Amino acid sequence: MAPRRGPSSPSPDAARLLPPGAVEEFAEAAGGRFRVLRSTASGTGTPLLLIHGGGPDNAAISWYRAFAPLSVDRPVFAADLAGCGYTEDVAVTGTAAGMADQLAELADALGLGRMAVAGVSMGGEVALQFALRHPGRCAALVAVAPGGLVERLQGRYAQRAAWLATLLPDPVLRPLAALANRFVGAAVKRMVHDPSTLPAEVVAEMVREARRPGSGMAYGAYNKASIGPRGMLNNLLPEVGRITVPTLFFHGAADPLVPPSGSAGAAARIPGARLVLVPDCGHWAQLEAHGAFVDEVRGFLAG
């Protein structure tokens, strides 16, 4: 299957959401050009690389609220993954391992050495893979409602149905994804326990991202690589015990998309890992429980 490419950048005057305290830059790596958000004012601690989630997401959406407060202690970077946001011409591998390797190349291009890594949802799985595949580069790990930690979806019939959906060819998936993306504004509010906690500008940016040509296809490639007929192909539970860096799992207890049991199982397997389950909180825990998330991560990284 030929590699897919990210959508083209819009005109310079197109509206883009930027987190407070971030500037937008571009860096050549992994055969293309990554859009990178960099903190404008930061402390001198170990650099922190933030990894966004799947679907119509990008670095500014997932990390809109956390960027500035996390950069008080350290330099913070966040990149749009291949096929997402404003990153261009980076091949979409579909696998979290492939995305982790591409981010390692980006880190080289940015001159980053050892760093803390934090990811949410699909990006949480990428962060786990980064810690497994590049242990010398990873100083600490934060996984927010991470994927890749369940043996199968809820029930064998749900697993089979999800797998059959991944068999649809891209010419069929593209119009279906475009149709589904028309309703992303309503869908995103079902990802959280309390929709009123989401900043309006974040929801608006996600709707904008969903309407970009090719939006969702990179996430579709991830699902194709992750979902098997009888179980998940990306289950990292048997491997996470090899992670030796300080690790924090942060998960909404009411997450309707990714079971908190995966984070609990991984935390039990990683020596010294800590699990924070946030009551009355859904999938986007770093946005919905913003204050608790920032406090936990700053304290964890300081320690």
Side-chain angles (χ1 to χ4, degrees), residues 163-227:
W163 171 71
L164 289 172
T166 67
L167 301 182
L168 294 172
D170 286 351
V172 176
L173 285 175
R174 286 182 184 276
L176 289 177
L179 178 62
N181 284 341
R182 293 175 58 186
F183 304 98
V184 71
V188 71
K189 293 179 181 179
R190 291 195 292 271
M191 293 168 54
V192 296
H193 184 73
D194 181 4
S196 68
T197 60
L198 294 181
E201 54 268 47
V202 168
V203 177
E205 176 72 2
M206 199 164 190
V207 171
R208 212 160 29 235
E209 179 71 22
R211 292 174 178 169
R212 286 162 49 78
S215 177
M217 295 305 294
Y219 188 54
Y222 168 74
N223 286 329
K224 284 177 181 286
S226 302
I227 302 173

Side-chain angles (χ1 to χ4, degrees), residues 246-274:
T247 302
L248 170 68
F249 289 91
F250 191 88
H251 210 133
D255 189 337
L257 300 182
V258 177
S261 59
S263 288
R269 289 167 169 81
I270 299 174
R274 184 171 176 226

Side-chain angles (χ1 to χ4, degrees), residues 81-110:
L81 295 169
C84 302
Y86 303 99
T87 285
E88 296 178 315
D89 297 326
V90 179
V92 175
T93 70
T95 67
M99 288 182 265
D101 292 346
Q102 289 174 339
L103 289 177
E105 291 187 47
L106 173 62
D108 288 339
L110 295 173

Side-chain angles (χ1 to χ4, degrees), residues 45-108:
T46 301
L48 172 63
L49 177 65
L50 302 173
I51 310 170
H52 67 77
D57 198 359
N58 63 41
I61 293 171
S62 275
W63 305 110
Y64 180 73
R65 277 182 160 166
F67 207 93
L70 292 179
S71 67
V72 169
D73 306 309
R74 64 197 68 254
V76 176
F77 299 83
D80 291 345
L81 295 169
C84 302
Y86 303 99
T87 285
E88 296 178 315
D89 297 326
V90 179
V92 175
T93 70
T95 67
M99 288 182 265
D101 292 346
Q102 289 174 339
L103 289 177
E105 291 187 47
L106 173 62
D108 288 339

Side-chain angles (χ1 to χ4, degrees), residues 123-189:
E125 183 187 346
V126 177
L128 289 165
Q129 285 282 13
F130 191 96
L132 287 166
R133 297 172 68 84
H134 305 279
R137 306 290 297 274
C138 186
L141 171 65
V142 178
V144 185
L149 294 174
V150 294
E151 294 181 3
R152 70 178 186 183
L153 301 177
Q154 297 177 353
R156 61 178 181 175
Y157 296 112
Q159 181 76 41
R160 184 79 175 179
W163 171 71
L164 289 172
T166 67
L167 301 182
L168 294 172
D170 286 351
V172 176
L173 285 175
R174 286 182 184 276
L176 289 177
L179 178 62
N181 284 341
R182 293 175 58 186
F183 304 98
V184 71
V188 71
K189 293 179 181 179

Side-chain angles (χ1 to χ4, degrees), residues 68 133 145 293 300-301:
R133 297 172 68 84
F293 174 73
F300 167 72
L301 293 179

